[in-house]
Amino acid sequence: MTSREGRGLSVTRAAGAGRGRGQPGHVGAAAERRVRRRDGTAPALPHMKLALGALALVSVTLTLQGLGRRLLSMASSPPRDPPRDPPADPYDPGSVSAAFVTCPNETVAKELARAMVEQKLAACVNVLPHVTSIYTWKGKLEEDNEVLLMIKTRSSRIPALTQFIRSMHPYEVAEVVAVPVAQGNPPYLQWVQESVPP
């Protein structure tokens, strides 16, 4: 056998092998040539693949370890307190009332509303215009356009409120209808009671 050396590698061919395909004794280059280092060891390419594979395995292992620690931390953390029920409603049902009064026009309605709030007979009065009222009066069917007052006050003040409306209202028989409030927004109901003295 003959050999040719160069750059630390030796290329070995079988003796008698030709340089070209047409010469006798030629076999394929892949089958005949063998690449080796001077010391006879194979190139380091397989070792590099093993090293890269090991690095990838270490990276995956560290990632899984971190995920496991996070899951364990979540599982071992103390449970949160369940939501608590809101405090009991301090409102005494029926202690506030909504009263309704109809007026012939907006001018009368606003005068009555302001007077009731100023005299602390009401905490708030809503003026609702364009109300159509159909009723009978002295045996005759009537239909009028009126203005409705919705009044929020203490239930204990309804008698005084009624007396005030009767003394100030232009109707011969003024409408005053009060309905006790069974429940509602506690802060608002508290504000009504604070606005109207007992």
Side-chain angles (χ1 to χ4, degrees), residues 31-118:
E32 192 64 26
R33 295 179 182 175
R34 294 183 181 141
V35 180
R36 294 194 177 273
R37 296 180 183 274
R38 284 185 179 180
D39 59 1
T41 61
L45 184 60
H47 297 290
M48 292 176 60
K49 289 182 179 179
L50 288 176
L52 290 175
L55 286 175
L57 181 60
V58 169
S59 176
V60 171
T61 302
L62 292 176
T63 301
L64 291 176
Q65 287 178 347
L67 178 61
R69 283 195 294 269
R70 287 196 295 272
L71 291 175
L72 182 61
S73 174
M74 292 170 60
S76 61
S77 60
R80 295 181 179 178
D81 294 335
R84 297 180 180 179
D85 294 333
D89 186 357
Y91 174 69
D92 182 19
S95 58
V96 170
S97 287
F100 301 91
V101 175
T102 52
C103 302
N105 54 58
E106 198 166 338
T107 300
V108 172
K110 288 183 177 180
E111 287 177 357
L112 288 173
R114 287 192 181 95
M116 284 185 283
V117 173
E118 288 172 355

Coordinates of all heavy atoms in Angstrom, one line a residue, residues 31-118:
A31 N -15.5 3.9 -0.8 CA -15.2 2.5 -0.2 C -13.7 2.4 0.0 O -13.3 1.5 0.9 CB -15.7 1.5 -1.2
E32 N -12.9 3.1 -0.7 CA -11.4 2.8 -0.7 C -10.7 3.7 0.3 O -9.7 3.3 0.9 CB -10.9 2.9 -2.1 CG -9.5 2.4 -2.3 CD -9.4 0.9 -2.0 OE1 -10.4 0.2 -2.2 OE2 -8.3 0.5 -1.6
R33 N -11.1 5.0 0.3 CA -10.3 6.0 1.1 C -10.8 5.9 2.6 O -11.9 5.8 2.9 CB -10.5 7.4 0.6 CG -9.9 7.5 -0.8 CD -10.1 8.9 -1.3 NE -9.6 9.1 -2.7 CZ -9.8 10.1 -3.4 NH1 -10.4 11.2 -2.9 NH2 -9.3 10.2 -4.6
R34 N -9.8 6.1 3.4 CA -10.1 6.2 4.9 C -9.3 7.4 5.4 O -8.1 7.5 5.2 CB -9.6 4.9 5.6 CG -10.5 3.7 5.1 CD -10.0 2.5 5.9 NE -10.8 1.4 5.5 CZ -10.4 0.2 5.3 NH1 -9.1 -0.1 5.6 NH2 -11.2 -0.8 4.9
V35 N -10.1 8.3 6.1 CA -9.4 9.5 6.7 C -9.1 9.2 8.1 O -10.0 8.8 8.9 CB -10.4 10.7 6.5 CG1 -9.7 11.9 7.1 CG2 -10.7 10.9 5.0
R36 N -7.9 9.4 8.5 CA -7.5 9.3 9.9 C -6.5 10.3 10.3 O -5.8 10.9 9.4 CB -6.9 7.9 10.1 CG -7.9 6.7 9.9 CD -7.3 5.4 10.4 NE -8.3 4.4 10.3 CZ -9.2 4.1 11.2 NH1 -9.3 4.9 12.3 NH2 -10.1 3.2 11.0
R37 N -6.4 10.6 11.6 CA -5.4 11.5 12.1 C -4.0 10.8 12.1 O -3.9 9.6 11.9 CB -5.7 11.9 13.5 CG -7.0 12.7 13.6 CD -7.3 13.1 15.1 NE -8.5 13.8 15.2 CZ -8.7 15.1 15.1 NH1 -7.7 15.8 14.8 NH2 -9.9 15.6 15.2
R38 N -3.0 11.6 12.3 CA -1.6 11.0 12.4 C -1.5 10.0 13.5 O -0.8 9.0 13.4 CB -0.6 12.1 12.6 CG -0.3 12.9 11.4 CD 0.8 13.9 11.6 NE 1.1 14.7 10.5 CZ 2.0 15.6 10.4 NH1 2.7 15.9 11.5 NH2 2.2 16.3 9.3
D39 N -2.2 10.2 14.6 CA -2.1 9.3 15.7 C -3.1 8.1 15.6 O -3.2 7.3 16.4 CB -2.4 10.0 17.1 CG -3.8 10.6 17.1 OD1 -4.5 10.5 16.0 OD2 -4.2 11.2 18.1
G40 N -3.8 8.1 14.4 CA -4.6 6.9 14.1 C -6.0 7.0 14.7 O -6.8 6.1 14.5
T41 N -6.4 8.2 15.3 CA -7.7 8.3 15.9 C -8.7 8.9 14.8 O -8.2 9.6 13.9 CB -7.7 9.2 17.1 OG1 -7.3 10.5 16.7 CG2 -6.8 8.7 18.2
A42 N -10.0 8.7 15.0 CA -11.0 9.2 14.1 C -11.3 10.7 14.4 O -10.9 11.2 15.4 CB -12.3 8.4 14.2
P43 N -11.8 11.4 13.4 CA -12.2 12.8 13.7 C -13.1 13.0 14.9 O -13.8 12.1 15.3 CB -12.8 13.3 12.4 CG -12.4 12.3 11.3 CD -12.2 11.0 12.0
A44 N -13.2 14.2 15.4 CA -13.9 14.5 16.7 C -15.4 14.8 16.4 O -16.1 15.1 17.3 CB -13.3 15.6 17.4
L45 N -15.9 14.7 15.2 CA -17.3 15.0 14.9 C -18.3 14.2 15.7 O -19.2 14.8 16.3 CB -17.5 14.8 13.4 CG -18.9 15.3 12.9 CD1 -19.1 16.8 13.2 CD2 -19.1 15.0 11.4
P46 N -18.2 12.9 15.9 CA -19.2 12.2 16.7 C -19.1 12.7 18.2 O -20.2 12.8 18.8 CB -18.7 10.8 16.6 CG -18.0 10.7 15.3 CD -17.3 12.0 15.2
H47 N -17.9 13.1 18.7 CA -17.8 13.6 20.1 C -18.6 14.9 20.2 O -19.2 15.2 21.2 CB -16.4 13.7 20.5 CG -15.6 12.4 20.5 ND1 -15.9 11.4 21.4 CD2 -14.7 11.9 19.6 CE1 -15.1 10.4 21.1 NE2 -14.4 10.6 20.0
M48 N -18.5 15.7 19.2 CA -19.2 17.0 19.2 C -20.7 16.8 19.3 O -21.4 17.5 20.0 CB -18.8 17.9 18.0 CG -17.4 18.4 18.0 SD -16.9 19.2 16.5 CE -18.1 20.6 16.6
K49 N -21.2 15.9 18.5 CA -22.6 15.6 18.6 C -23.1 15.1 19.9 O -24.1 15.5 20.5 CB -23.0 14.5 17.5 CG -22.9 15.0 16.1 CD -23.3 13.9 15.1 CE -23.2 14.4 13.7 NZ -23.6 13.3 12.7
L50 N -22.3 14.3 20.5 CA -22.6 13.8 21.9 C -22.6 14.9 22.9 O -23.4 15.0 23.8 CB -21.6 12.7 22.3 CG -21.7 11.4 21.6 CD1 -20.5 10.5 22.1 CD2 -23.0 10.7 22.0
A51 N -21.6 15.9 22.7 CA -21.6 17.0 23.7 C -22.8 17.9 23.5 O -23.4 18.4 24.5 CB -20.3 17.8 23.4
L52 N -23.2 18.2 22.3 CA -24.4 19.0 22.1 C -25.6 18.3 22.6 O -26.5 19.0 23.2 CB -24.5 19.3 20.6 CG -23.5 20.2 19.9 CD1 -23.7 20.3 18.4 CD2 -23.6 21.6 20.6
G53 N -25.7 17.0 22.4 CA -26.9 16.3 23.0 C -26.9 16.4 24.5 O -28.0 16.5 25.1
A54 N -25.7 16.3 25.1 CA -25.7 16.4 26.6 C -26.1 17.7 27.1 O -26.8 17.9 28.0 CB -24.3 16.0 27.0
L55 N -25.7 18.8 26.3 CA -26.1 20.2 26.7 C -27.6 20.3 26.6 O -28.2 20.9 27.5 CB -25.4 21.2 25.9 CG -23.9 21.4 26.1 CD1 -23.3 22.3 25.1 CD2 -23.7 21.9 27.6
A56 N -28.2 19.8 25.5 CA -29.6 19.9 25.4 C -30.3 19.2 26.5 O -31.4 19.7 27.0 CB -30.0 19.4 24.0
L57 N -29.8 18.0 26.9 CA -30.5 17.2 27.9 C -30.4 18.0 29.3 O -31.4 18.0 30.0 CB -29.8 15.9 28.1 CG -30.3 14.9 29.1 CD1 -31.8 14.6 28.8 CD2 -29.5 13.6 29.2
V58 N -29.3 18.6 29.5 CA -29.1 19.4 30.8 C -30.1 20.6 30.8 O -30.7 20.9 31.8 CB -27.7 19.9 30.9 CG1 -27.5 20.9 32.1 CG2 -26.7 18.7 31.2
S59 N -30.2 21.3 29.6 CA -31.2 22.4 29.6 C -32.6 22.0 29.8 O -33.3 22.6 30.6 CB -31.0 23.1 28.2 OG -32.0 24.1 28.0
V60 N -33.0 20.9 29.2 CA -34.4 20.4 29.4 C -34.6 20.0 30.9 O -35.6 20.2 31.5 CB -34.7 19.2 28.5 CG1 -36.0 18.5 28.9 CG2 -34.7 19.6 27.1
T61 N -33.5 19.3 31.5 CA -33.6 18.9 32.9 C -33.8 20.1 33.8 O -34.7 20.1 34.7 CB -32.4 18.1 33.3 OG1 -32.3 17.0 32.4 CG2 -32.5 17.6 34.7
L62 N -33.0 21.2 33.6 CA -33.1 22.4 34.4 C -34.5 23.0 34.3 O -35.1 23.5 35.3 CB -32.0 23.4 34.1 CG -30.6 22.9 34.4 CD1 -29.6 24.0 33.9 CD2 -30.4 22.7 35.9
T63 N -35.0 23.0 33.0 CA -36.3 23.6 32.8 C -37.4 22.9 33.6 O -38.3 23.4 34.2 CB -36.7 23.7 31.3 OG1 -35.7 24.4 30.6 CG2 -38.0 24.3 31.1
L64 N -37.4 21.5 33.5 CA -38.4 20.7 34.2 C -38.2 20.9 35.7 O -39.2 20.9 36.4 CB -38.2 19.3 33.8 CG -38.6 18.9 32.3 CD1 -38.3 17.5 32.0 CD2 -40.0 19.2 32.1
Q65 N -37.0 21.0 36.2 CA -36.8 21.2 37.6 C -37.4 22.5 38.1 O -38.1 22.6 39.1 CB -35.3 21.2 38.0 CG -34.7 19.8 37.9 CD -33.2 19.8 38.3 OE1 -32.6 20.8 38.3 NE2 -32.7 18.6 38.5
G66 N -37.2 23.6 37.3 CA -37.8 24.9 37.7 C -39.3 24.8 37.7 O -40.0 25.4 38.5
L67 N -39.9 24.2 36.7 CA -41.4 24.0 36.6 C -41.9 23.2 37.8 O -42.9 23.6 38.4 CB -41.7 23.3 35.3 CG -43.2 23.1 35.0 CD1 -44.0 24.4 35.0 CD2 -43.5 22.3 33.7
G68 N -41.2 22.2 38.1 CA -41.6 21.4 39.3 C -41.6 22.2 40.6 O -42.5 22.1 41.4
R69 N -40.5 23.0 40.7 CA -40.5 23.9 42.0 C -41.7 24.8 42.0 O -42.2 25.1 43.1 CB -39.2 24.6 42.0 CG -38.0 23.7 42.5 CD -36.8 24.6 42.8 NE -36.3 25.3 41.7 CZ -35.3 24.8 40.9 NH1 -34.8 23.6 41.2 NH2 -34.9 25.5 39.9
R70 N -42.0 25.4 40.8 CA -43.1 26.4 40.8 C -44.4 25.7 41.1 O -45.3 26.2 41.9 CB -43.2 27.1 39.4 CG -42.1 28.1 39.2 CD -42.4 29.0 38.1 NE -42.5 28.3 36.8 CZ -41.5 28.1 36.0 NH1 -40.3 28.5 36.4 NH2 -41.6 27.4 34.9
L71 N -44.7 24.5 40.6 CA -45.9 23.8 40.8 C -46.0 23.4 42.3 O -47.0 23.5 42.9 CB -46.0 22.5 39.9 CG -46.2 22.8 38.5 CD1 -46.1 21.5 37.7 CD2 -47.5 23.5 38.2
L72 N -44.8 23.0 42.9 CA -44.8 22.6 44.3 C -45.1 23.8 45.2 O -45.8 23.7 46.2 CB -43.5 22.0 44.6 CG -43.3 21.5 46.1 CD1 -44.3 20.4 46.4 CD2 -41.9 21.0 46.3
S73 N -44.6 24.9 44.8 CA -44.8 26.2 45.6 C -46.3 26.5 45.5 O -46.9 26.9 46.5 CB -44.0 27.3 45.0 OG -44.3 28.5 45.7
M74 N -46.9 26.4 44.3 CA -48.3 26.7 44.2 C -49.2 25.8 45.0 O -50.1 26.1 45.7 CB -48.8 26.7 42.7 CG -48.1 27.8 41.9 SD -48.4 27.6 40.1 CE -50.2 27.6 40.1
A75 N -48.8 24.5 45.0 CA -49.6 23.5 45.7 C -49.4 23.6 47.2 O -50.4 23.3 48.0 CB -49.2 22.1 45.3
S76 N -48.3 24.1 47.7 CA -48.0 24.1 49.1 C -48.4 25.5 49.8 O -48.4 25.6 51.0 CB -46.5 23.8 49.4 OG -45.7 24.8 48.8
S77 N -48.8 26.5 48.9 CA -49.1 27.8 49.5 C -50.5 27.7 50.2 O -51.3 26.9 49.8 CB -49.2 28.8 48.4 OG -50.2 28.5 47.4
P78 N -50.6 28.4 51.3 CA -51.9 28.3 52.1 C -53.1 28.8 51.2 O -52.9 29.7 50.4 CB -51.6 29.3 53.3 CG -50.5 30.2 52.8 CD -49.7 29.4 51.8
P79 N -54.2 28.2 51.4 CA -55.4 28.6 50.6 C -55.9 30.0 51.0 O -55.7 30.4 52.2 CB -56.5 27.6 51.0 CG -56.0 27.0 52.3 CD -54.5 27.1 52.3
R80 N -56.4 30.7 50.1 CA -57.0 32.0 50.4 C -58.3 31.9 51.2 O -59.0 31.0 51.1 CB -57.2 32.8 49.1 CG -56.0 33.1 48.3 CD -56.3 33.9 47.0 NE -55.1 34.2 46.3 CZ -55.2 34.9 45.1 NH1 -56.3 35.3 44.6 NH2 -54.0 35.1 44.5
D81 N -58.5 33.0 52.0 CA -59.7 33.0 52.8 C -60.9 33.1 51.8 O -60.9 33.8 50.9 CB -59.7 34.2 53.7 CG -58.6 34.0 54.8 OD1 -58.3 32.9 55.1 OD2 -58.2 35.0 55.3
P82 N -62.0 32.3 52.1 CA -63.2 32.4 51.3 C -63.8 33.8 51.4 O -63.6 34.5 52.4 CB -64.1 31.4 51.8 CG -63.6 31.1 53.2 CD -62.1 31.4 53.2
P83 N -64.5 34.3 50.4 CA -65.1 35.7 50.5 C -66.1 35.7 51.6 O -66.9 34.8 51.8 CB -65.8 35.8 49.1 CG -65.9 34.5 48.5 CD -64.7 33.7 49.1
R84 N -66.1 36.8 52.3 CA -67.0 36.9 53.5 C -68.3 37.5 53.0 O -68.3 38.3 52.1 CB -66.3 37.8 54.5 CG -65.0 37.2 55.1 CD -64.5 38.1 56.2 NE -63.2 37.5 56.8 CZ -62.5 38.2 57.7 NH1 -62.9 39.4 58.1 NH2 -61.4 37.6 58.2
D85 N -69.3 37.2 53.7 CA -70.6 37.8 53.4 C -70.6 39.2 53.8 O -69.9 39.6 54.8 CB -71.7 37.0 54.2 CG -71.9 35.6 53.7 OD1 -71.6 35.3 52.5 OD2 -72.3 34.7 54.5
P86 N -71.3 40.1 53.1 CA -71.4 41.5 53.4 C -72.1 41.6 54.8 O -72.8 40.8 55.2 CB -72.2 42.1 52.3 CG -73.0 41.0 51.7 CD -72.1 39.8 51.9
P87 N -71.7 42.7 55.5 CA -72.4 42.9 56.8 C -73.9 43.0 56.7 O -74.4 43.3 55.7 CB -71.8 44.2 57.3 CG -71.3 44.9 56.1 CD -70.9 43.8 55.1
A88 N -74.5 42.6 57.8 CA -76.0 42.6 57.8 C -76.5 44.0 57.6 O -75.9 45.0 57.9 CB -76.5 42.1 59.2
D89 N -77.6 44.0 56.8 CA -78.3 45.3 56.5 C -78.8 46.0 57.8 O -79.7 45.4 58.5 CB -79.4 45.0 55.5 CG -80.0 46.3 55.0 OD1 -79.6 47.4 55.4 OD2 -80.9 46.3 54.2
P90 N -78.2 47.2 58.1 CA -78.7 47.8 59.3 C -80.0 48.5 59.2 O -80.6 49.0 60.1 CB -77.6 48.9 59.6 CG -77.1 49.2 58.2 CD -77.2 47.9 57.4
Y91 N -80.6 48.5 58.0 CA -81.8 49.3 57.7 C -83.0 48.5 58.3 O -83.1 47.3 58.2 CB -82.0 49.4 56.2 CG -83.4 50.0 55.8 CD1 -83.6 51.3 56.1 CD2 -84.3 49.3 55.2 CE1 -84.9 51.9 55.8 CE2 -85.6 49.8 54.9 CZ -85.8 51.1 55.2 OH -87.0 51.7 54.8
D92 N -83.8 49.3 59.0 CA -85.1 48.8 59.6 C -86.2 48.9 58.5 O -86.6 50.0 58.2 CB -85.4 49.6 60.8 CG -86.7 49.0 61.5 OD1 -87.1 47.9 61.2 OD2 -87.3 49.8 62.3
P93 N -86.6 47.7 58.0 CA -87.6 47.8 56.9 C -88.8 48.6 57.3 O -89.4 48.5 58.3 CB -88.0 46.3 56.7 CG -86.8 45.6 57.2 CD -86.3 46.4 58.3
G94 N -89.2 49.5 56.3 CA -90.4 50.3 56.5 C -90.1 51.7 57.2 O -91.0 52.5 57.4
S95 N -88.9 51.9 57.7 CA -88.6 53.2 58.4 C -88.5 54.4 57.4 O -88.6 55.5 57.8 CB -87.3 53.0 59.2 OG -86.3 52.7 58.4
V96 N -88.4 54.1 56.1 CA -88.4 55.1 55.1 C -89.5 54.8 54.1 O -89.9 53.7 53.9 CB -87.0 55.1 54.3 CG1 -87.1 56.0 53.0 CG2 -85.9 55.5 55.1
S97 N -90.2 55.9 53.6 CA -91.3 55.8 52.7 C -91.1 56.6 51.5 O -90.4 57.6 51.5 CB -92.6 56.2 53.4 OG -93.0 55.2 54.4
A98 N -91.8 56.2 50.4 CA -91.8 57.0 49.2 C -93.3 57.5 49.1 O -94.2 56.6 49.0 CB -91.4 56.1 48.0
A99 N -93.5 58.8 49.0 CA -94.8 59.4 48.9 C -95.0 59.9 47.5 O -94.0 60.4 46.9 CB -95.0 60.4 49.9
F100 N -96.2 59.9 47.0 CA -96.5 60.4 45.6 C -97.6 61.4 45.7 O -98.6 61.2 46.4 CB -97.0 59.2 44.7 CG -95.9 58.1 44.6 CD1 -95.9 57.0 45.5 CD2 -94.9 58.2 43.6 CE1 -94.9 56.1 45.4 CE2 -94.0 57.2 43.5 CZ -94.0 56.1 44.4
V101 N -97.3 62.5 45.0 CA -98.3 63.7 45.0 C -98.4 64.2 43.5 O -97.3 64.4 42.9 CB -97.8 64.8 45.9 CG1 -98.7 66.0 45.8 CG2 -97.7 64.3 47.3
T102 N -99.6 64.3 43.0 CA -99.8 64.9 41.7 C -100.1 66.4 41.8 O -100.7 66.8 42.7 CB -100.9 64.2 40.9 OG1 -102.1 64.2 41.8 CG2 -100.5 62.8 40.6
C103 N -99.6 67.1 40.8 CA -99.7 68.6 40.8 C -100.3 69.0 39.4 O -100.0 68.3 38.4 CB -98.4 69.3 41.0 SG -97.7 68.9 42.6
P104 N -101.0 70.2 39.3 CA -101.6 70.6 38.0 C -100.5 71.0 37.0 O -100.8 70.9 35.8 CB -102.5 71.7 38.4 CG -101.9 72.3 39.7 CD -101.3 71.1 40.4
N105 N -99.4 71.5 37.4 CA -98.3 71.9 36.5 C -97.0 71.9 37.2 O -96.8 71.7 38.4 CB -98.6 73.4 36.0 CG -98.9 74.3 37.1 OD1 -98.0 74.5 38.0 ND2 -100.0 75.0 37.2
E106 N -95.9 72.2 36.4 CA -94.6 72.1 36.9 C -94.2 73.2 37.9 O -93.4 73.0 38.8 CB -93.6 72.1 35.7 CG -92.2 71.6 36.0 CD -91.4 71.4 34.8 OE1 -91.9 71.1 33.7 OE2 -90.1 71.4 34.9
T107 N -94.8 74.4 37.7 CA -94.6 75.5 38.6 C -95.0 75.1 40.0 O -94.2 75.3 41.0 CB -95.3 76.8 38.2 OG1 -94.8 77.1 36.8 CG2 -95.0 77.9 39.1
V108 N -96.2 74.6 40.2 CA -96.7 74.2 41.5 C -95.9 73.1 42.1 O -95.5 73.1 43.2 CB -98.2 73.8 41.4 CG1 -98.7 73.2 42.7 CG2 -99.1 75.0 41.0
A109 N -95.5 72.1 41.2 CA -94.8 71.0 41.7 C -93.4 71.4 42.2 O -93.0 70.9 43.3 CB -94.6 70.0 40.5
K110 N -92.7 72.3 41.5 CA -91.4 72.7 42.0 C -91.5 73.5 43.3 O -90.6 73.4 44.2 CB -90.6 73.4 40.9 CG -90.2 72.5 39.8 CD -89.4 73.3 38.7 CE -88.9 72.4 37.6 NZ -88.1 73.2 36.6
E111 N -92.5 74.3 43.4 CA -92.7 75.1 44.6 C -92.9 74.2 45.8 O -92.3 74.4 46.9 CB -93.8 76.1 44.5 CG -93.6 77.3 43.5 CD -94.8 78.2 43.4 OE1 -95.9 77.8 43.9 OE2 -94.7 79.2 42.7
L112 N -93.8 73.2 45.7 CA -94.0 72.3 46.7 C -92.7 71.5 47.1 O -92.4 71.2 48.2 CB -95.1 71.3 46.4 CG -96.5 71.9 46.4 CD1 -97.5 70.9 45.8 CD2 -97.0 72.4 47.7
A113 N -92.0 71.0 46.0 CA -90.8 70.2 46.3 C -89.7 71.0 47.0 O -89.2 70.5 48.0 CB -90.2 69.8 44.9
R114 N -89.5 72.2 46.6 CA -88.5 73.0 47.4 C -88.9 73.3 48.8 O -88.1 73.2 49.7 CB -88.3 74.3 46.6 CG -87.5 74.2 45.3 CD -87.1 75.6 44.8 NE -86.4 75.5 43.5 CZ -87.0 75.6 42.3 NH1 -88.3 75.9 42.3 NH2 -86.3 75.5 41.2
A115 N -90.2 73.6 49.0 CA -90.6 73.8 50.4 C -90.5 72.6 51.3 O -90.1 72.7 52.4 CB -92.1 74.3 50.3
M116 N -90.8 71.4 50.8 CA -90.7 70.2 51.6 C -89.3 69.9 52.0 O -89.0 69.5 53.1 CB -91.3 69.0 50.8 CG -92.8 69.0 50.8 SD -93.5 67.5 50.0 CE -93.2 67.9 48.2
V117 N -88.3 70.1 51.0 CA -86.9 69.9 51.3 C -86.4 70.9 52.3 O -85.7 70.6 53.2 CB -86.1 69.8 50.0 CG1 -84.6 69.7 50.4 CG2 -86.5 68.7 49.1
E118 N -86.8 72.2 52.1 CA -86.3 73.3 53.0 C -86.8 73.1 54.4 O -86.1 73.3 55.4 CB -86.7 74.6 52.4 CG -86.0 75.1 51.2 CD -86.6 76.3 50.6 OE1 -87.6 76.8 51.1 OE2 -86.0 76.9 49.6

